[in-house]
Amino acid sequence: MDLHIKPLDRRLDARPGANLLETLREARVPISYSCMAGRCGTCRCKLVEGQVLDAGQDAPRGIGDSDPYVLACQTTLTEPCTIEIPEPDEVVVHPARALKATVI
């Protein structure tokens, strides 16, 4: 199944039922992410063409929906589609880590 990524103009061969964020990470596509649970919104990307399954809404999402943005960590690929991610220069690429802190 074809996954087209703008503005990089990259095409990936993704398997149906795959998680969008995992697919992007496996292909080393530069995308920011943090919580992996749909709370932070860091992995937000725009669905330009096609349809996906949004786990946050348990419903198919298509380009005719009022909000074309999806969270990659909560999105399941169901058919060939095109997404738009932030410009690579805007992506924060550092590993997530847990830090101990005390609030005073």
Side-chain angles (χ1 to χ4, degrees):
M1 172 173 78
D2 190 44
L3 173 62
H4 184 208
I5 303 157
K6 291 184 175 187
L8 302 177
D9 200 29
R10 269 184 78 182
R11 292 190 183 276
L12 303 177
D13 185 29
R15 61 181 171 74
N19 177 272
L20 176 57
L21 180 59
E22 289 175 10
T23 301
L24 296 173
R25 289 180 57 208
E26 287 171 3
R28 299 191 184 274
V29 173
I31 185 165
S32 295
Y33 63 93
S34 184
C35 75
M36 307 282 287
R39 290 186 304 267
C40 70
T42 307
C43 62
R44 185 174 178 243
C45 55
K46 184 177 182 180
L47 181 63
V48 177
E49 188 176 314
Q51 186 171 327
V52 296
L53 183 62
D54 185 348
Q57 297 185 6
D58 290 328
R61 296 280 310 266
I63 57 171
D65 293 340
S66 60
D67 182 11
Y69 290 92
V70 295
L71 297 177
C73 70
Q74 298 297 299
T75 299
T76 302
L77 299 169
T78 58
E79 66 180 43
C81 61
T82 300
I83 61 165
E84 185 177 310
I85 61 173
E87 289 288 339
D89 294 344
E90 299 173 13
V91 174
V92 177
V93 286
H94 59 78
R97 56 187 179 173
L99 301 173
K100 288 179 123 183
T102 304
V103 179
I104 299 176

Coordinates of all heavy atoms in Angstrom, one line a residue:
M1 N 0.9 -1.2 0.0 CA 0.0 0.0 0.0 C 0.9 1.2 0.0 O 1.9 1.3 0.7 CB -0.9 -0.1 1.2 CG -1.7 1.1 1.5 SD -2.8 0.9 2.8 CE -1.8 1.1 4.2
D2 N 0.6 2.2 -0.8 CA 1.4 3.4 -1.0 C 1.1 4.5 0.0 O -0.1 4.9 0.2 CB 1.1 3.9 -2.4 CG 2.1 5.0 -2.8 OD1 3.3 4.8 -2.5 OD2 1.6 6.0 -3.4
L3 N 2.1 5.0 0.7 CA 2.0 6.1 1.6 C 2.9 7.2 1.1 O 4.1 7.0 1.0 CB 2.4 5.7 3.0 CG 2.5 6.8 4.1 CD1 1.1 7.5 4.3 CD2 3.0 6.3 5.4
H4 N 2.3 8.3 0.7 CA 3.0 9.4 0.1 C 3.2 10.5 1.2 O 2.2 10.8 1.9 CB 2.3 10.0 -1.1 CG 3.0 11.1 -1.7 ND1 2.4 12.1 -2.4 CD2 4.3 11.4 -1.8 CE1 3.3 13.0 -2.9 NE2 4.5 12.5 -2.6
I5 N 4.4 11.0 1.4 CA 4.7 11.9 2.5 C 5.2 13.2 1.9 O 6.2 13.3 1.2 CB 5.8 11.4 3.4 CG1 5.3 10.0 4.0 CG2 6.1 12.3 4.6 CD1 6.5 9.2 4.4
K6 N 4.4 14.3 2.2 CA 4.7 15.6 1.7 C 5.3 16.4 2.9 O 4.9 16.1 4.1 CB 3.5 16.4 1.2 CG 3.0 15.8 -0.1 CD 1.8 16.6 -0.6 CE 1.4 16.2 -1.9 NZ 0.4 17.1 -2.5
P7 N 6.1 17.3 2.9 CA 6.8 17.9 1.7 C 8.0 17.2 1.2 O 8.7 17.6 0.3 CB 7.1 19.3 2.1 CG 7.4 19.2 3.6 CD 6.5 18.1 4.1
L8 N 8.3 16.0 1.8 CA 9.5 15.3 1.5 C 9.4 14.6 0.1 O 10.4 14.2 -0.5 CB 9.8 14.2 2.5 CG 10.0 14.7 3.9 CD1 10.2 13.5 4.9 CD2 11.2 15.7 4.0
D9 N 8.2 14.5 -0.4 CA 7.9 13.8 -1.6 C 8.5 12.3 -1.6 O 9.1 11.9 -2.6 CB 8.4 14.5 -2.8 CG 7.7 14.1 -4.1 OD1 6.6 13.7 -4.0 OD2 8.3 14.2 -5.2
R10 N 8.3 11.7 -0.5 CA 8.7 10.3 -0.3 C 7.5 9.4 -0.4 O 6.4 9.7 0.1 CB 9.4 10.1 1.1 CG 10.9 10.3 1.0 CD 11.5 10.0 2.4 NE 11.6 8.5 2.6 CZ 12.1 8.1 3.7 NH1 12.5 8.9 4.7 NH2 12.3 6.8 3.9
R11 N 7.7 8.2 -0.9 CA 6.7 7.2 -1.0 C 7.2 5.9 -0.2 O 8.3 5.5 -0.5 CB 6.4 6.8 -2.4 CG 5.7 8.0 -3.1 CD 5.1 7.6 -4.5 NE 4.6 8.7 -5.2 CZ 3.3 9.1 -5.0 NH1 2.5 8.5 -4.1 NH2 2.9 10.1 -5.7
L12 N 6.3 5.4 0.7 CA 6.7 4.3 1.4 C 5.7 3.2 1.1 O 4.5 3.4 0.8 CB 6.6 4.5 2.9 CG 7.4 5.7 3.5 CD1 7.1 5.8 5.0 CD2 8.9 5.4 3.3
D13 N 6.1 1.9 1.2 CA 5.2 0.8 1.0 C 4.8 0.4 2.4 O 5.6 -0.2 3.1 CB 6.0 -0.3 0.3 CG 5.0 -1.5 0.0 OD1 3.8 -1.3 -0.2 OD2 5.5 -2.6 -0.1
A14 N 3.6 0.7 2.8 CA 3.1 0.4 4.1 C 2.1 -0.7 4.1 O 1.4 -0.9 3.1 CB 2.4 1.7 4.7
R15 N 2.1 -1.5 5.2 CA 1.1 -2.6 5.2 C -0.2 -2.1 5.8 O -0.2 -1.3 6.7 CB 1.7 -3.8 6.0 CG 2.0 -3.5 7.4 CD 2.6 -4.7 8.1 NE 3.1 -4.3 9.4 CZ 2.3 -4.1 10.5 NH1 1.0 -4.1 10.4 NH2 2.8 -3.7 11.6
P16 N -1.3 -2.6 5.3 CA -2.6 -2.2 5.8 C -2.7 -2.6 7.3 O -2.2 -3.7 7.7 CB -3.6 -3.0 5.0 CG -2.9 -3.3 3.7 CD -1.5 -3.4 4.1
G17 N -3.3 -1.8 8.1 CA -3.4 -2.1 9.5 C -2.2 -1.6 10.4 O -2.2 -1.7 11.6
A18 N -1.2 -1.0 9.7 CA 0.0 -0.6 10.4 C -0.3 0.8 11.1 O -1.1 1.6 10.6 CB 1.2 -0.4 9.5
N19 N 0.4 1.0 12.2 CA 0.3 2.3 12.9 C 1.1 3.3 12.1 O 2.3 3.0 11.7 CB 0.8 2.2 14.3 CG 0.9 3.5 15.0 OD1 1.8 4.2 14.9 ND2 -0.2 3.8 15.7
L20 N 0.6 4.5 11.8 CA 1.3 5.5 11.0 C 2.6 6.0 11.6 O 3.6 6.0 10.9 CB 0.3 6.7 10.8 CG 0.9 7.9 10.0 CD1 1.4 7.5 8.7 CD2 -0.1 9.0 9.9
L21 N 2.6 6.2 12.9 CA 3.9 6.7 13.5 C 4.9 5.6 13.5 O 6.1 5.9 13.1 CB 3.6 7.1 15.0 CG 4.9 7.6 15.7 CD1 5.5 8.8 15.0 CD2 4.5 7.9 17.2
E22 N 4.6 4.4 13.7 CA 5.6 3.3 13.6 C 6.1 3.1 12.2 O 7.3 2.9 12.0 CB 4.9 2.0 14.1 CG 4.7 1.9 15.6 CD 3.9 0.7 16.0 OE1 3.8 -0.3 15.2 OE2 3.5 0.6 17.2
T23 N 5.2 3.3 11.2 CA 5.6 3.2 9.8 C 6.6 4.3 9.5 O 7.7 4.1 8.9 CB 4.4 3.3 8.9 OG1 3.5 2.2 9.2 CG2 4.8 3.2 7.5
L24 N 6.3 5.5 10.0 CA 7.2 6.6 9.7 C 8.6 6.5 10.4 O 9.6 6.7 9.8 CB 6.6 8.0 10.1 CG 5.3 8.4 9.4 CD1 4.7 9.6 10.0 CD2 5.7 8.6 7.9
R25 N 8.5 6.0 11.7 CA 9.8 5.8 12.4 C 10.6 4.7 11.8 O 11.9 4.8 11.7 CB 9.5 5.4 13.9 CG 8.9 6.6 14.7 CD 8.6 6.3 16.1 NE 9.8 5.7 16.7 CZ 9.8 4.9 17.7 NH1 8.6 4.4 18.2 NH2 10.9 4.4 18.3
E26 N 10.0 3.6 11.3 CA 10.8 2.5 10.7 C 11.5 3.0 9.4 O 12.6 2.5 9.1 CB 9.8 1.3 10.4 CG 9.4 0.6 11.6 CD 8.3 -0.4 11.3 OE1 7.9 -0.6 10.1 OE2 7.8 -1.1 12.2
A27 N 10.9 3.9 8.7 CA 11.4 4.4 7.5 C 12.4 5.6 7.7 O 12.8 6.3 6.8 CB 10.3 4.8 6.5
R28 N 12.6 6.0 9.0 CA 13.4 7.1 9.4 C 12.9 8.4 8.8 O 13.7 9.3 8.4 CB 14.9 6.8 9.1 CG 15.4 5.6 9.7 CD 16.9 5.5 9.6 NE 17.5 4.3 10.1 CZ 17.8 4.2 11.4 NH1 17.7 5.1 12.3 NH2 18.3 3.0 11.8
V29 N 11.6 8.6 8.8 CA 11.0 9.9 8.4 C 11.1 10.8 9.6 O 10.6 10.4 10.7 CB 9.6 9.7 7.9 CG1 8.9 11.0 7.6 CG2 9.6 8.8 6.6
P30 N 11.6 12.0 9.4 CA 11.7 12.9 10.6 C 10.4 13.5 11.0 O 9.8 14.3 10.4 CB 12.6 14.0 10.1 CG 12.4 14.0 8.6 CD 12.1 12.6 8.2
I31 N 9.9 12.9 12.2 CA 8.6 13.4 12.7 C 8.8 13.5 14.3 O 9.4 12.5 14.9 CB 7.4 12.5 12.3 CG1 6.1 13.1 12.8 CG2 7.6 11.1 12.7 CD1 4.9 12.6 12.2
S32 N 8.3 14.5 14.9 CA 8.4 14.7 16.3 C 7.3 13.8 17.0 O 6.2 13.6 16.4 CB 8.2 16.1 16.7 OG 9.2 16.9 16.3
Y33 N 7.6 13.2 18.1 CA 6.6 12.5 18.9 C 7.1 12.5 20.3 O 8.3 12.7 20.6 CB 6.4 11.0 18.3 CG 7.7 10.2 18.4 CD1 7.9 9.4 19.5 CD2 8.6 10.2 17.4 CE1 9.0 8.6 19.6 CE2 9.8 9.5 17.5 CZ 10.0 8.6 18.6 OH 11.1 7.9 18.7
S34 N 6.2 12.2 21.2 CA 6.5 12.2 22.6 C 5.8 11.1 23.4 O 6.3 10.1 23.7 CB 6.3 13.5 23.3 OG 6.8 13.5 24.6
C35 N 4.5 11.3 23.7 CA 3.8 10.4 24.6 C 3.4 9.1 24.0 O 3.2 8.1 24.8 CB 2.6 11.1 25.2 SG 1.2 11.3 24.0
M36 N 3.2 9.0 22.7 CA 2.8 7.8 22.0 C 1.4 7.3 22.5 O 1.0 6.2 22.2 CB 3.8 6.6 22.3 CG 5.2 6.9 22.0 SD 5.6 6.9 20.2 CE 5.6 5.1 19.9
A37 N 0.6 8.2 23.1 CA -0.7 7.8 23.6 C -1.8 8.8 23.1 O -2.9 8.7 23.5 CB -0.7 7.8 25.1
G38 N -1.4 9.8 22.3 CA -2.4 10.7 21.8 C -2.7 11.9 22.7 O -3.7 12.6 22.4
R39 N -2.0 12.1 23.7 CA -2.2 13.2 24.6 C -1.5 14.5 24.3 O -2.0 15.6 24.4 CB -1.9 12.8 26.1 CG -2.9 11.8 26.6 CD -2.6 11.5 28.1 NE -1.2 11.1 28.3 CZ -0.8 9.8 28.4 NH1 -1.6 8.9 28.2 NH2 0.5 9.5 28.6
C40 N -0.3 14.4 23.8 CA 0.6 15.6 23.7 C 0.4 16.3 22.3 O 0.6 17.5 22.3 CB 2.1 15.2 23.8 SG 2.7 14.2 22.5
G41 N 0.0 15.6 21.3 CA -0.3 16.3 20.0 C 1.0 16.5 19.2 O 0.9 17.2 18.2
T42 N 2.1 16.1 19.7 CA 3.4 16.3 19.0 C 3.5 15.7 17.6 O 4.1 16.3 16.7 CB 4.6 15.8 19.9 OG1 4.4 16.4 21.2 CG2 5.9 16.2 19.3
C43 N 2.9 14.6 17.4 CA 3.0 13.8 16.1 C 1.9 14.2 15.2 O 1.6 13.4 14.2 CB 3.0 12.3 16.4 SG 1.5 11.7 17.2
R44 N 1.3 15.3 15.3 CA 0.1 15.8 14.5 C 0.6 16.0 13.0 O 1.6 16.6 12.8 CB -0.4 17.1 15.1 CG -1.6 17.6 14.4 CD -2.1 18.8 15.2 NE -3.2 19.4 14.6 CZ -3.3 20.6 14.1 NH1 -2.2 21.4 14.2 NH2 -4.4 21.1 13.6
C45 N -0.2 15.4 12.1 CA 0.1 15.6 10.7 C -1.2 15.7 9.9 O -2.3 15.4 10.5 CB 1.0 14.5 10.1 SG 0.3 12.8 10.4
K46 N -1.2 16.2 8.7 CA -2.4 16.5 8.0 C -2.6 15.3 7.0 O -1.7 14.9 6.2 CB -2.2 17.8 7.2 CG -3.4 18.2 6.4 CD -3.1 19.6 5.8 CE -4.3 20.1 5.1 NZ -4.1 21.4 4.5
L47 N -3.9 14.9 6.9 CA -4.3 13.9 6.0 C -4.7 14.6 4.7 O -5.7 15.4 4.7 CB -5.4 13.0 6.5 CG -6.0 11.9 5.6 CD1 -4.9 10.9 5.4 CD2 -7.2 11.3 6.3
V48 N -3.9 14.5 3.6 CA -4.2 15.2 2.4 C -5.1 14.4 1.5 O -5.9 15.0 0.8 CB -2.8 15.6 1.7 CG1 -3.1 16.3 0.4 CG2 -2.0 16.4 2.6
E49 N -4.9 13.1 1.4 CA -5.6 12.3 0.5 C -5.8 10.9 1.1 O -4.8 10.4 1.7 CB -4.9 12.2 -0.8 CG -5.6 11.5 -1.9 CD -4.9 11.6 -3.2 OE1 -4.3 12.7 -3.6 OE2 -4.7 10.6 -3.9
G50 N -6.9 10.3 0.9 CA -7.1 8.9 1.4 C -7.9 8.8 2.6 O -8.5 9.8 3.1
Q51 N -7.9 7.7 3.2 CA -8.7 7.5 4.5 C -7.9 6.6 5.4 O -7.2 5.7 5.0 CB -10.0 6.7 4.1 CG -10.9 6.6 5.3 CD -12.3 6.1 4.8 OE1 -12.8 6.4 3.8 NE2 -12.9 5.3 5.7
V52 N -8.0 6.9 6.7 CA -7.3 6.2 7.8 C -8.3 5.9 8.9 O -9.4 6.5 8.9 CB -6.1 7.0 8.3 CG1 -5.0 7.2 7.3 CG2 -6.5 8.3 8.9
L53 N -7.9 5.1 9.8 CA -8.7 4.8 11.0 C -8.1 5.5 12.2 O -6.9 5.3 12.5 CB -8.8 3.3 11.3 CG -9.6 2.9 12.4 CD1 -11.1 3.3 12.2 CD2 -9.5 1.4 12.7
D54 N -8.8 6.4 12.8 CA -8.4 7.2 13.9 C -8.8 6.5 15.2 O -10.0 6.5 15.5 CB -9.0 8.6 13.8 CG -8.5 9.6 14.9 OD1 -7.8 9.1 15.9 OD2 -8.7 10.8 14.8
A55 N -7.8 6.0 15.9 CA -8.1 5.2 17.1 C -8.8 6.1 18.2 O -9.5 5.6 19.1 CB -6.9 4.5 17.7
G56 N -8.4 7.4 18.2 CA -9.0 8.3 19.2 C -10.5 8.5 19.0 O -11.2 8.8 19.9
Q57 N -11.0 8.3 17.8 CA -12.4 8.5 17.5 C -13.1 7.2 17.1 O -14.3 7.2 16.9 CB -12.6 9.5 16.4 CG -12.1 10.9 16.8 CD -12.4 11.9 15.7 OE1 -13.1 11.6 14.8 NE2 -11.9 13.1 15.9
D58 N -12.3 6.1 17.0 CA -12.9 4.8 16.6 C -13.7 4.9 15.3 O -14.8 4.3 15.2 CB -13.7 4.2 17.7 CG -12.8 3.7 18.8 OD1 -11.7 3.3 18.6 OD2 -13.3 3.7 20.0
A59 N -13.3 5.7 14.4 CA -14.1 5.9 13.2 C -13.1 6.2 12.0 O -12.0 6.8 12.2 CB -15.0 7.1 13.3
P60 N -13.5 5.8 10.8 CA -12.7 6.2 9.7 C -12.6 7.7 9.5 O -13.6 8.4 9.7 CB -13.4 5.5 8.5 CG -14.3 4.5 9.1 CD -14.6 5.0 10.4
R61 N -11.4 8.2 9.1 CA -11.2 9.6 8.8 C -10.9 9.7 7.3 O -10.0 9.0 6.9 CB -10.1 10.1 9.7 CG -10.3 10.1 11.1 CD -11.2 11.2 11.6 NE -10.8 12.5 11.2 CZ -10.0 13.4 11.8 NH1 -9.5 13.0 13.0 NH2 -9.7 14.5 11.3
G62 N -11.5 10.7 6.7 CA -11.1 10.9 5.3 C -10.9 12.4 5.0 O -11.0 13.2 6.0
I63 N -10.6 12.8 3.8 CA -10.2 14.1 3.5 C -11.4 15.1 3.5 O -11.3 16.3 3.6 CB -9.5 14.3 2.2 CG1 -10.3 13.7 1.0 CG2 -8.1 13.6 2.2 CD1 -9.8 14.0 -0.3
G64 N -12.6 14.5 3.6 CA -13.8 15.4 3.6 C -14.2 15.8 5.0 O -15.1 16.6 5.3
D65 N -13.5 15.3 6.1 CA -13.8 15.7 7.4 C -13.4 17.1 7.7 O -12.5 17.7 7.1 CB -13.0 14.7 8.4 CG -13.5 13.3 8.3 OD1 -14.6 13.1 7.9 OD2 -12.8 12.4 8.8
S66 N -14.1 17.7 8.7 CA -13.8 19.1 9.0 C -12.4 19.4 9.5 O -11.8 20.4 9.3 CB -14.9 19.6 10.0 OG -14.8 18.8 11.2
D67 N -11.8 18.4 10.2 CA -10.5 18.6 10.7 C -9.6 17.6 10.0 O -9.7 16.4 10.3 CB -10.4 18.4 12.2 CG -9.0 18.6 12.8 OD1 -8.1 19.1 12.1 OD2 -8.8 18.2 14.0
P68 N -8.7 18.0 9.1 CA -7.9 17.1 8.3 C -6.7 16.5 9.1 O -6.0 15.7 8.6 CB -7.5 17.9 7.1 CG -7.4 19.3 7.6 CD -8.6 19.4 8.7
Y69 N -6.5 17.0 10.3 CA -5.3 16.6 11.1 C -5.6 15.3 11.9 O -6.6 15.1 12.5 CB -4.9 17.7 12.0 CG -4.3 18.9 11.2 CD1 -5.1 19.9 10.8 CD2 -3.0 18.9 10.8 CE1 -4.6 20.9 10.0 CE2 -2.4 19.9 10.1 CZ -3.2 20.9 9.7 OH -2.7 22.0 8.9
V70 N -4.5 14.5 12.0 CA -4.6 13.2 12.8 C -3.3 13.2 13.6 O -2.3 13.8 13.3 CB -4.7 12.0 11.9 CG1 -6.0 12.0 11.1 CG2 -3.5 11.9 10.9
L71 N -3.4 12.4 14.6 CA -2.2 12.1 15.4 C -1.6 10.8 14.9 O -2.3 9.8 14.9 CB -2.5 12.0 16.9 CG -3.1 13.2 17.6 CD1 -3.5 13.0 19.0 CD2 -2.1 14.4 17.5
A72 N -0.4 10.8 14.5 CA 0.2 9.7 13.8 C 0.3 8.5 14.8 O 0.1 7.3 14.4 CB 1.7 10.0 13.4
C73 N 0.4 8.7 16.1 CA 0.5 7.6 17.1 C -0.8 6.9 17.2 O -0.9 5.8 17.7 CB 1.1 8.1 18.4 SG -0.1 9.2 19.3
Q74 N -1.9 7.6 16.9 CA -3.3 7.0 17.0 C -3.9 6.7 15.7 O -5.1 6.4 15.7 CB -4.1 8.0 17.8 CG -3.7 8.4 19.2 CD -3.7 7.2 20.1 OE1 -4.7 6.6 20.3 NE2 -2.5 6.8 20.5
T75 N -3.2 6.6 14.6 CA -3.7 6.4 13.3 C -3.3 5.1 12.7 O -2.1 4.8 12.7 CB -3.3 7.6 12.4 OG1 -3.7 8.8 12.9 CG2 -3.8 7.4 11.0
T76 N -4.3 4.4 12.2 CA -4.1 3.1 11.5 C -4.3 3.3 10.1 O -5.3 3.9 9.6 CB -5.0 2.0 12.1 OG1 -4.9 1.9 13.5 CG2 -4.8 0.7 11.4
L77 N -3.3 2.8 9.3 CA -3.4 2.9 7.8 C -4.4 1.9 7.3 O -4.2 0.7 7.6 CB -2.0 2.8 7.2 CG -1.0 3.8 7.6 CD1 0.4 3.4 7.2 CD2 -1.4 5.2 7.1
T78 N -5.3 2.3 6.4 CA -6.3 1.4 5.9 C -6.3 1.3 4.4 O -6.8 0.4 3.8 CB -7.7 1.8 6.4 OG1 -8.0 3.1 6.0 CG2 -7.9 1.7 7.9
E79 N -5.8 2.3 3.7 CA -5.7 2.4 2.3 C -4.6 3.3 1.9 O -4.1 4.1 2.7 CB -7.1 2.8 1.7 CG -7.4 4.2 2.0 CD -8.8 4.7 1.4 OE1 -9.7 3.9 1.5 OE2 -8.9 5.8 0.9
P80 N -4.2 3.3 0.6 CA -3.2 4.3 0.2 C -3.6 5.7 0.5 O -4.8 6.1 0.4 CB -3.2 4.1 -1.4 CG -3.6 2.7 -1.6 CD -4.7 2.5 -0.5
C81 N -2.7 6.5 1.0 CA -3.0 7.9 1.4 C -1.8 8.8 1.3 O -0.7 8.3 1.1 CB -3.6 7.9 2.8 SG -2.5 7.3 4.1
T82 N -2.1 10.1 1.4 CA -1.0 11.1 1.4 C -1.1 11.9 2.7 O -2.2 12.3 3.0 CB -1.2 12.0 0.2 OG1 -1.1 11.3 -1.0 CG2 -0.1 13.1 0.2
I83 N 0.0 12.1 3.3 CA 0.0 12.9 4.5 C 1.0 14.0 4.4 O 1.9 13.9 3.5 CB 0.4 12.1 5.8 CG1 1.8 11.5 5.7 CG2 -0.7 11.0 6.1 CD1 2.3 11.0 7.0
E84 N 0.8 15.1 5.1 CA 1.8 16.2 5.2 C 2.3 16.3 6.6 O 1.5 16.5 7.5 CB 1.1 17.5 4.7 CG 2.0 18.6 4.6 CD 1.2 19.9 4.1 OE1 0.5 19.7 3.0 OE2 1.3 20.9 4.7
I85 N 3.6 16.3 6.7 CA 4.2 16.4 8.0 C 4.9 17.8 8.1 O 5.1 18.4 7.0 CB 5.3 15.3 8.3 CG1 6.4 15.4 7.2 CG2 4.6 13.9 8.3 CD1 7.5 14.4 7.5
P86 N 5.3 18.3 9.3 CA 6.0 19.6 9.4 C 7.3 19.5 8.6 O 7.8 18.4 8.4 CB 6.2 19.7 10.9 CG 5.2 18.9 11.5 CD 5.0 17.7 10.6
E87 N 7.7 20.7 8.2 CA 9.0 20.8 7.5 C 10.1 20.1 8.4 O 10.1 20.3 9.6 CB 9.4 22.2 7.3 CG 8.6 22.9 6.2 CD 8.9 22.4 4.8 OE1 10.0 21.9 4.6 OE2 8.0 22.6 4.0
P88 N 11.0 19.4 7.8 CA 12.1 18.7 8.6 C 12.9 19.6 9.5 O 13.3 19.2 10.5 CB 13.0 18.1 7.5 CG 12.0 17.9 6.3 CD 11.1 19.0 6.4
D89 N 13.0 20.9 9.1 CA 13.7 21.8 9.9 C 13.0 22.1 11.2 O 13.6 22.6 12.2 CB 14.0 23.1 9.2 CG 14.9 23.0 8.0 OD1 15.6 21.9 7.9 OD2 14.9 23.9 7.1
E90 N 11.7 21.9 11.3 CA 10.9 22.2 12.4 C 10.8 21.0 13.4 O 10.2 21.1 14.5 CB 9.5 22.6 12.0 CG 9.4 23.8 11.2 CD 8.0 24.0 10.6 OE1 7.0 23.4 11.1 OE2 7.8 24.9 9.7
V91 N 11.3 19.9 13.0 CA 11.2 18.6 13.8 C 12.2 18.6 14.9 O 13.4 18.9 14.7 CB 11.3 17.4 12.9 CG1 11.3 16.1 13.7 CG2 10.2 17.4 11.9
V92 N 11.7 18.3 16.1 CA 12.6 18.1 17.2 C 13.0 16.6 17.3 O 12.2 15.8 17.4 CB 11.9 18.5 18.6 CG1 12.8 18.2 19.7 CG2 11.4 19.9 18.5
V93 N 14.3 16.4 17.1 CA 14.8 15.0 17.1 C 15.7 14.7 18.3 O 16.9 14.9 18.2 CB 15.5 14.7 15.7 CG1 14.5 14.5 14.6 CG2 16.5 15.7 15.4
H94 N 15.1 14.4 19.4 CA 15.9 14.0 20.5 C 15.1 12.8 21.2 O 13.9 12.7 21.0 CB 16.1 15.1 21.5 CG 14.8 15.7 22.0 ND1 14.0 15.1 23.0 CD2 14.1 16.8 21.7 CE1 13.0 15.8 23.2 NE2 13.0 16.9 22.4
P95 N 15.8 11.9 21.8 CA 15.1 10.8 22.4 C 14.3 11.2 23.6 O 14.7 12.1 24.4 CB 16.3 9.9 22.8 CG 17.5 10.7 23.0 CD 17.3 11.9 22.0
A96 N 13.1 10.6 23.7 CA 12.3 10.8 24.9 C 13.0 10.2 26.1 O 13.6 9.1 26.0 CB 10.9 10.2 24.7
R97 N 12.9 10.8 27.2 CA 13.5 10.2 28.5 C 12.7 10.7 29.7 O 12.1 11.8 29.6 CB 14.9 10.5 28.6 CG 15.2 12.0 28.5 CD 16.7 12.3 28.5 NE 16.9 13.7 28.4 CZ 18.0 14.3 28.5 NH1 19.1 13.7 28.6 NH2 18.1 15.6 28.4
A98 N 12.7 10.0 30.7 CA 12.1 10.3 32.0 C 13.1 10.9 32.9 O 14.2 10.4 33.0 CB 11.5 9.1 32.6
L99 N 12.8 12.1 33.5 CA 13.7 12.7 34.4 C 13.0 12.9 35.8 O 11.8 13.2 35.9 CB 14.0 14.2 33.9 CG 14.7 14.2 32.5 CD1 14.8 15.7 32.0 CD2 16.0 13.6 32.5
K100 N 13.8 12.7 36.8 CA 13.3 12.9 38.2 C 13.5 14.4 38.5 O 14.5 15.0 38.1 CB 14.1 12.1 39.2 CG 13.8 10.6 39.1 CD 14.6 9.9 40.2 CE 13.7 9.2 41.0 NZ 14.4 8.5 42.1
A101 N 12.4 15.0 39.1 CA 12.5 16.4 39.5 C 11.7 16.7 40.8 O 10.8 15.9 41.1 CB 12.0 17.3 38.3
T102 N 12.0 17.7 41.4 CA 11.3 18.2 42.6 C 10.8 19.6 42.3 O 11.6 20.4 42.0 CB 12.2 18.2 43.8 OG1 12.7 16.8 44.0 CG2 11.4 18.5 45.1
V103 N 9.5 19.8 42.5 CA 8.9 21.1 42.4 C 9.0 21.8 43.7 O 8.5 21.3 44.7 CB 7.5 21.0 41.8 CG1 6.9 22.4 41.7 CG2 7.5 20.3 40.5
I104 N 9.6 23.0 43.7 CA 9.7 23.7 45.0 C 8.8 25.0 44.9 O 8.8 25.7 44.0 CB 11.2 24.1 45.2 CG1 12.0 22.9 45.3 CG2 11.3 25.0 46.5 CD1 13.5 23.2 45.5

